[in-house]
């Protein structure tokens, strides 16, 4: 069902303050003092939804209600904008201004389009690119929004595939890398997957200015049900990706790989025992450029895996039940789960360290972070 017209002030009046009920002993308005910040959508104890911004200690800095379930957050540090995208197939995105504290902007998907949960800003912060689908033709597009003019949708470019999900921008700021998961869906059938026998996932490299296709890469034909879903990129320009296999659970293929500059997609070696425990599903990917470690989460299997970014070798794992959200910290990673926990996941430790637990809260799939410290206006 399409998102109905929402009166913003009525919406806030109705659910504002709901997010405070699940914060436990952590403060709802912790001072930032120029902290590196993290943001993640969540479900509240009463079943409503919000985006929460928090620091590395797990202290909540700011929360804002959402009209429905969120998936991931795109951050523009120049403007202090945090944009939460609806979970696929969703029809809203909410822009939160943490510098000026203006009224949030509620975006509705363009006619015939729905959001796929992810987005990224141009280097100057003036444009926002969002993964979307032209759902009548099952054609993937990137919606382009003018962040300097109220987030008006000013155009779109093809993702050159079906079911675009995550995307990243290369370090030079010129190329968008899109994970086309290959799965056809339609709002009339919810999250039903309509083409599993014929799906053809790919990774597309697209010139963000011209919209032209630079390269399109696919896994071998026998891996056509290995849906490329989530991405992160390191300072060298290597794209790390996580997959969700749509075949039989017993097939248990490797689910993690990378794309190095001018090379082909390469899956990493994953021990069969680990593959089976992952239950064919990677939920998030995060790169720590400082430590040279890549983390991937498997919420169905309750695992966080750590990989050496130089050799591609699996170096450690942590057990985290229903753990999905990941973001890099100074020493390792912060991770979240569907049971309200935030943990510090350092691959040099045997187990994750608890940071906070919010009773009745379910953190959603992803955690975004700022690349530099920001101070939020109160």
């Amino acid at each position: 069902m399409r998102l109905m017209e929402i009166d913003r002030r009525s919406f806030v009046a109705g659910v504002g303050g709901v997010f405070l009920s699940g914060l436990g002993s952590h403060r709802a308005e912790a001072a930032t003092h120029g902290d590196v910040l993290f943001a993640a959508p969540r479900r509240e104890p009463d079943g409503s939804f919000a985006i929460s911004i928090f620091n590395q200690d797990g202290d909540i800095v700011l929360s804002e209600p959402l009209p429905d379930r969120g998936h991931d957050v795109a951050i523009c540090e120049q403007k202090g904008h945090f944009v939460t995208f609806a979970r696929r197939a969703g029809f809203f995105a909410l822009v939160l201004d943490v510098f000026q504290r203006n009224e949030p902007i509620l975006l509705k998907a363009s006619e015939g389009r729905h959001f796929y949960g992810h987005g990224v800003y141009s280097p100057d912060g003036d444009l926002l690119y969002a993964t979307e689908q032209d759902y009548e033709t099952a054609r993937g597009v990137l919606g382009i929004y003018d962040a300097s003019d109220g987030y008006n949708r000013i155009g779109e470019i093809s993702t050159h595939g079906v079911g675009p999900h995550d995307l990243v921008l290369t370090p030079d700021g010129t190329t968008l890398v899109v994970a086309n998961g290959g799965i056809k869906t339609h709002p009339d059938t919810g999250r039903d997957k309509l083409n599993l026998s014929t799906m053809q996932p790919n990774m597309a490299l697209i010139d963000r200015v011209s919209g032209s296709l630079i390269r399109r890469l696919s896994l071998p034909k026998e891996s056509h049900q290995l849906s490329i879903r989530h991405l992160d990129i390191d300072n060298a320009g290597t794209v790390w990706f996580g997959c969700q296999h749509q075949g039989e659970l017993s097939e248990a293929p490797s689910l993690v790989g990378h794309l190095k500059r001018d090379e082909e997609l390469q899956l990493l070696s994953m021990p069969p025992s680990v593959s089976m425990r992952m239950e064919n599903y990677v939920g998030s990917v995060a790169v720590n450029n400082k430590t040279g470690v890549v983390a991937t989460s498997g919420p169905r299997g309750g695992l966080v895996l750590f990989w050496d970014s130089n050799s591609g070798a699996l170096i450690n794992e942590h057990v985290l039940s229903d753990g999905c959200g990941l973001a890099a910290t100074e020493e390792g990673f912060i991770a979240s789960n569907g049971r309200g926990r935030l943990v510090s996941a350092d691959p040099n430790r045997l187990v994750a360290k608890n940071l906070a637990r919010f009773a009745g809260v379910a953190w959603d799939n992803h955690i975004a972070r700022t690349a530099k410290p920001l101070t939020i206006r109160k």
Side-chain angles (χ1 to χ4, degrees):
M1 180 179 293
R2 293 273 329 233
L3 179 71
M4 302 302 290
E5 189 73 24
I6 294 176
D7 181 276
R8 175 63 196 156
R9 295 186 186 277
S10 297
F11 171 65
V12 173
V15 298
V18 165
F19 52 79
L20 298 178
S21 62
L23 298 184
S25 62
H26 285 253
R27 296 163 291 169
E29 291 280 344
T32 64
H33 302 299
D35 291 336
V36 170
L37 298 175
F38 303 82
R42 53 190 259 180
R43 188 186 70 237
E44 303 296 353
D46 68 349
S48 64
F49 299 93
I51 170 182
S52 287
I53 300 174
F54 48 93
N55 62 24
Q56 189 166 308
D57 295 325
D59 293 320
I60 301 298
V61 175
L62 181 68
S63 286
E64 180 72 24
L66 296 172
D68 207 333
R69 183 175 175 181
H71 187 70
D72 196 14
V73 180
I75 302 174
C76 175
E77 294 167 347
Q78 298 96 318
K79 293 179 169 62
H81 290 182
F82 288 63
V83 182
T84 306
F85 295 94
R87 180 178 184 247
R88 173 186 68 86
F91 294 92
F92 79 90
L94 187 80
V95 184
L96 182 61
D97 182 346
V98 303
F99 287 170
Q100 300 300 320
R101 299 302 300 275
N102 295 319
E103 282 287 305
I105 301 171
L106 186 64
L107 306 178
K108 294 194 301 181
S110 182
E111 185 67 30
R113 308 289 186 265
H114 68 68
F115 292 111
Y116 257 100
H118 293 269
V120 69
Y121 280 91
S122 60
D124 60 9
D126 286 343
L127 297 176
L128 174 68
Y129 301 88
T131 51
E132 301 176 5
Q133 179 180 227
D134 174 352
Y135 52 78
E136 295 302 340
T137 64
R139 181 175 65 94
V141 300
L142 297 180
I144 306 173
Y145 297 81
D146 187 346
S148 63
D149 185 25
Y151 286 84
N152 288 316
R153 193 177 192 274
I154 58 175
E156 66 181 32
I157 55 180
S158 174
T159 68
H160 303 277
V162 173
H165 196 66
D166 207 351
L167 77 167
V168 293
L169 184 64
T170 55
D172 61 11
T174 62
T175 303
L176 292 162
V177 184
V178 181
N180 287 303
I183 300 173
K184 180 180 178 181
T185 60
H186 193 283
D188 291 346
T189 54
R191 292 175 62 81
D192 291 350
K193 300 166 184 177
L194 306 177
N195 66 330
L196 295 186
S197 64
T198 60
M199 58 182 286
Q200 295 180 318
N202 71 60
M203 189 181 297
L205 281 62
I206 301 166
D207 184 299
R208 72 171 186 86
V209 177
S210 68
S212 60
L213 179 66
I214 300 171
R215 294 182 73 198
R216 181 167 51 197
L217 304 105
S218 300
L219 293 167
K221 290 183 178 180
E222 60 268 22
S223 299
H224 81 99
Q225 288 188 310
L226 199 56
S227 178
I228 305 171
R229 303 290 288 171
H230 293 113
L231 309 175
D232 201 0
I233 189 166
D234 64 26
N235 288 339
T238 298
V239 179
W240 297 83
F241 61 91
C243 301
Q244 296 172 7
H245 183 53
Q246 305 302 315
E248 296 296 325
L249 188 63
S250 60
E251 293 174 0
S254 177
L255 301 169
V256 178
H258 59 54
L259 172 64
K260 294 187 176 182
R261 190 185 302 272
D262 299 324
E263 295 186 7
E264 299 298 316
L265 300 179
Q266 181 178 340
L267 291 170
L268 304 184
S269 177
M270 182 179 286
S273 60
V274 175
S275 298
M276 290 297 297
R277 291 161 64 202
M278 289 291 284
E279 297 188 16
N280 287 342
Y281 193 100
V282 167
S284 190
V285 179
V287 173
N288 190 317
N289 284 296
K290 182 177 179 180
T291 64
V293 176
V294 179
T296 58
S297 63
R300 294 182 179 176
L303 291 177
V304 176
L305 305 179
F306 302 98
W307 308 82
D308 185 292
S309 64
N310 292 316
S311 67
L314 181 63
I315 56 178
N316 202 356
E317 65 179 58
H318 283 174
V319 174
L320 182 61
S321 178
D322 196 22
C324 197
L326 289 171
T329 62
E330 281 296 305
E331 298 180 351
F333 300 88
I334 192 168
S336 63
N337 78 350
R339 301 179 183 180
R341 291 179 64 194
L342 294 175
V343 303
S344 175
D346 182 346
N348 295 314
R349 290 198 298 262
L350 293 177
V351 296
K353 175 185 176 182
N354 286 320
L355 294 175
R357 183 180 182 276
F358 303 92
V361 164
W363 294 102
D364 223 288
N365 296 68
H366 298 287
I367 301 174
R369 63 156 284 171
T370 63
K372 62 183 180 181
L374 296 183
T375 299
I376 287 181
R377 179 180 177 183
K378 300 301 182 184

